[in-house]
Amino acid sequence: MIVLYLSFLKKTKINGITLFPFIILRDKKLRANKVLMNHEKIHIHQQLELLVIFFYLWYVLEYYYLFFKLKDKNLAYRNICFEREAYSKENELNYLEKRKFWNFLKYRK
C-alpha cells in the first residue's frame, strides 16, 4: 500500500480513493483518520481478492446497474457491495484481521 496526496481532490467531495496499490488522499492530515484509512484498506483487500482488474469491472458494472435502477448516482455508489462492506466495517479498526475471503459477497443486494 502506497499513500499519495493529490491536491486535485481538494476540488471534489472525495476524501480518499483506492487504486491498487495506491491510497490517494485529499491532503496529508487525512492519513491520521483511522476510519478513512481502514475504509480504503478494505478496498485494497477487495481489489486483491478479485485480481484488481475484476474488481474494477465489477465495480463499474454494479454502479451502472444500480444507477439505472435507482436513478440516483449517490445511492448507486453507496449500494455497490464493495462500498457497503467498507462503510459498514470502517469503524471496526481490527476488521481486516478477521475478515473472511470474498466477504463483500454478503453485501450484495
Side-chain angles (χ1 to χ4, degrees):
M1 166 187 81
I2 302 163
V3 179
L4 301 175
Y5 311 98
L6 297 179
S7 60
F8 77 84
L9 287 180
K10 290 182 181 184
K11 298 175 185 175
T12 71
K13 295 179 183 179
I14 299 169
N15 285 324
I17 187 169
T18 301
L19 302 168
F20 185 84
F22 305 102
I23 293 176
I24 304 164
L25 300 175
R26 180 186 293 200
D27 72 42
K28 290 183 181 186
K29 294 175 188 170
L30 290 171
R31 177 93 190 244
N33 183 330
K34 292 181 180 183
V35 172
L36 174 64
M37 290 301 294
N38 194 46
H39 179 102
E40 300 305 333
K41 288 176 185 177
I42 292 168
H43 287 317
I44 290 278
H45 280 257
Q46 294 166 338
Q47 291 172 14
L48 283 170
E49 289 170 346
L50 289 170
L51 306 174
V52 182
I53 189 67
F54 296 109
F55 170 87
Y56 295 117
L57 288 171
W58 186 326
Y59 195 102
V60 169
L61 289 172
E62 187 170 4
Y63 172 80
Y64 281 108
Y65 168 77
L66 290 166
F67 176 73
F68 288 117
K69 180 180 176 184
L70 302 171
K71 309 286 192 248
D72 182 298
K73 63 182 179 181
N74 189 50
L75 268 177
Y77 160 75
R78 293 290 285 205
N79 280 285
I80 296 169
C81 63
F82 304 114
E83 295 300 341
R84 291 182 66 212
E85 178 186 18
Y87 279 113
S88 71
K89 299 299 183 181
E90 67 186 6
N91 289 303
E92 288 182 41
L93 300 181
N94 65 339
Y95 173 66
L96 290 173
E97 296 170 16
K98 61 184 178 181
R99 181 183 180 270
K100 294 185 175 150
F101 194 75
W102 284 30
N103 202 55
F104 63 87
L105 292 174
K106 292 181 183 177
Y107 295 87
R108 291 184 7 199
K109 281 192 167 190

